[in-house]
């Protein structure tokens, strides 16, 4: 459970799901007496499904020069906005091998804050997002396997489940 996501009427539970994805949306009432933030910054039903404006430039980029002594090659990962609020276009490349995919972030009642971070391997990048407490949450990873194969894997799946507190 994430601290600060509860009231007397409703409690939100925050789960990392290894193999399944559940999406539930529920109104959360606030209790101003608690002194604790009792609801997300924006209720999920108030976040528009589509963006009014889509930026052409990447909103996040990760880049590392490869060891190729003859060419100016890079391992790169870029995230681009799409017209959907919770979807981003992921473009990745290692030397001359390219790939792309759509990243769908869950609606936790706040606008997504995507991010990229260095992974454990030399040529790896973790795609994730920042939660309401500005903690980075791992979501997917792009990496180079055996020095030549470019791979994208899912690290975690996220969901919010609501339950009534008595």
């Amino acid at each position: 459970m994430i601290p600060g996501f509860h009231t007397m009427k409703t409690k939100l539970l925050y789960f990392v799901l290894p193999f399944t994805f559940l999406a539930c949306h529920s109104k959360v009432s606030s209790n101003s007496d608690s002194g604790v933030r009792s609801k997300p910054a924006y209720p999920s039903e108030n976040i528009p499904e589509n963006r009014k404006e889509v930026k052409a430039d990447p909103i996040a980029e990760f880049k590392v020069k490869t060891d190729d002594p003859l060419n100016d090659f890079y391992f790169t990962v870029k995230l681009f906005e799409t017209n959907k609020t919770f979807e981003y276009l992921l473009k990745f490349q290692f030397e001359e091998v390219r790939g792309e995919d759509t990243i769908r972030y869950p609606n936790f009642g706040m606008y997504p804050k995507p991010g990229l971070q260095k992974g454990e391997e030399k040529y790896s990048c973790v795609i994730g997002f920042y939660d309401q407490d500005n903690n980075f949450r791992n979501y997917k990873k792009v990496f180079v396997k055996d020095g030549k194969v470019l791979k994208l894997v899912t690290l975690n799946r996220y969901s919010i489940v609501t339950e009534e507190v008595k």
Side-chain angles (χ1 to χ4, degrees), residues 101-162:
D101 198 5
T102 300
I103 302 292
R104 291 175 183 84
Y105 288 101
N107 183 346
F108 289 126
M110 59 185 268
Y111 283 92
K113 293 190 268 182
L116 302 175
Q117 291 188 353
K118 169 103 177 84
E120 293 178 7
E121 298 89 351
K122 182 175 184 176
Y123 302 119
S124 66
C125 176
V126 176
I127 299 104
F129 60 91
Y130 293 91
D131 65 16
Q132 75 283 350
D133 296 322
N134 214 30
N135 296 315
F136 187 78
R137 302 290 181 166
N138 297 339
Y139 192 26
K140 298 193 180 235
K141 180 171 79 167
V142 175
F143 64 101
V144 177
K145 183 176 179 181
D146 301 327
K148 59 186 171 188
V149 179
L150 190 56
K151 296 192 63 105
L152 172 66
V153 297
T154 299
L155 299 174
N156 294 303
R157 298 182 189 272
Y158 295 89
S159 180
I160 290 182
V161 177
T162 61

Side-chain angles (χ1 to χ4, degrees), residues 45-87:
E45 61 271 4
N46 290 340
I47 299 175
E49 186 178 323
N50 296 308
R51 288 188 177 86
K52 292 180 182 176
E53 190 175 310
V54 177
K55 296 176 185 169
D57 294 328
I59 56 122
E61 183 173 356
F62 180 83
K63 187 175 184 179
V64 175
K65 185 160 178 42
T66 66
D67 293 331
D68 187 321
L70 301 175
N71 298 294
D72 192 26
F73 286 144
Y74 289 88
F75 168 73
T76 60
V77 178
K78 297 177 184 180
L79 273 177
F80 295 86
E81 289 182 343
T82 67
N83 63 335
K84 301 275 187 195
T85 302
F86 293 95
E87 289 185 7

Side-chain angles (χ1 to χ4, degrees), residues 25-45:
H25 301 292
S26 176
K27 291 185 179 181
V28 179
S29 61
S30 67
N31 181 357
S32 59
D33 299 342
S34 68
V36 176
R37 181 175 34 165
S38 60
K39 63 181 180 178
Y42 302 96
S44 60
E45 61 271 4

